[in-house]
Amino acid sequence: MPVRPTLRRMQKLEANYDPDAIRDSLQRQRESILEQQKTKQAELEKIENSTKLLIGDESVLSTLYVSYLNFARQIWKLKNTYTSGTLKIEADIMIYKWTRRGLDENILKRIRNEIFTLQAPAP
């Protein structure tokens, strides 16, 4: 089965790309977009503050704070994407990834368990 030719793809893009229509659509949705963003940013701020407190209790070097915060942000993103068993598996993959980058596995597991109230997936 052949793929769509480039010409057809470009024609479809041109037909759907109307800057005025895009601007009008965004203006109609602006308030909703801003409210949603405000909610998500507040949620992320809470996660980041909780993570900073936790890694502060663990006496983590300040140079590693950004990495632990990035781990927490990735788990937060996964929590907004997946649920249940899939979420636990994806979080476990993130622990493996960040452990390979030199972070302490026990601290990563504390972040997963205490901040996100997740447990390791069943074997």
Side-chain angles (χ1 to χ4, degrees):
M1 181 171 186
V3 296
R4 292 183 180 149
T6 301
L7 180 61
R8 180 167 181 239
R9 291 178 187 198
M10 292 306 297
Q11 288 171 339
K12 189 171 184 176
L13 174 66
E14 287 179 32
N16 290 326
Y17 186 75
D18 176 11
D20 294 330
I22 293 169
R23 185 186 64 249
D24 293 344
S25 176
L26 286 175
Q27 283 181 333
R28 283 192 306 274
Q29 299 175 54
R30 185 173 190 278
E31 291 303 315
S32 173
I33 291 169
L34 290 174
E35 186 59 37
Q36 191 175 41
Q37 185 67 13
K38 181 180 175 184
T39 302
K40 289 295 182 182
Q41 288 302 322
E43 186 181 319
L44 182 57
E45 179 185 3
K46 182 179 174 187
I47 295 296
E48 289 173 343
N49 285 329
S50 298
T51 301
K52 276 187 147 183
L53 289 172
L54 187 146
I55 59 181
D57 290 345
E58 292 284 345
S59 301
V60 170
L61 295 173
S62 61
T63 56
L64 295 175
Y65 269 46
V66 172
S67 295
Y68 283 103
L69 285 169
N70 284 336
F71 168 76
R73 290 175 187 126
Q74 286 185 345
I75 299 298
W76 175 74
K77 183 177 178 183
L78 290 172
K79 196 168 182 178
N80 287 305
T81 306
Y82 301 107
T83 59
S84 192
T86 304
L87 173 60
K88 291 178 181 181
I89 291 168
E90 292 296 321
D92 229 30
I93 292 168
M94 286 299 120
I95 288 175
Y96 175 76
K97 171 183 161 181
W98 286 96
T99 301
R100 298 287 294 163
R101 291 181 174 179
L103 300 186
D104 184 291
E105 183 175 359
N106 292 324
I107 297 173
L108 295 173
K109 286 181 178 179
R110 274 195 69 199
I111 293 170
R112 177 197 64 197
N113 296 347
E114 295 175 23
I115 296 174
F116 295 97
T117 61
L118 296 172
Q119 299 300 318

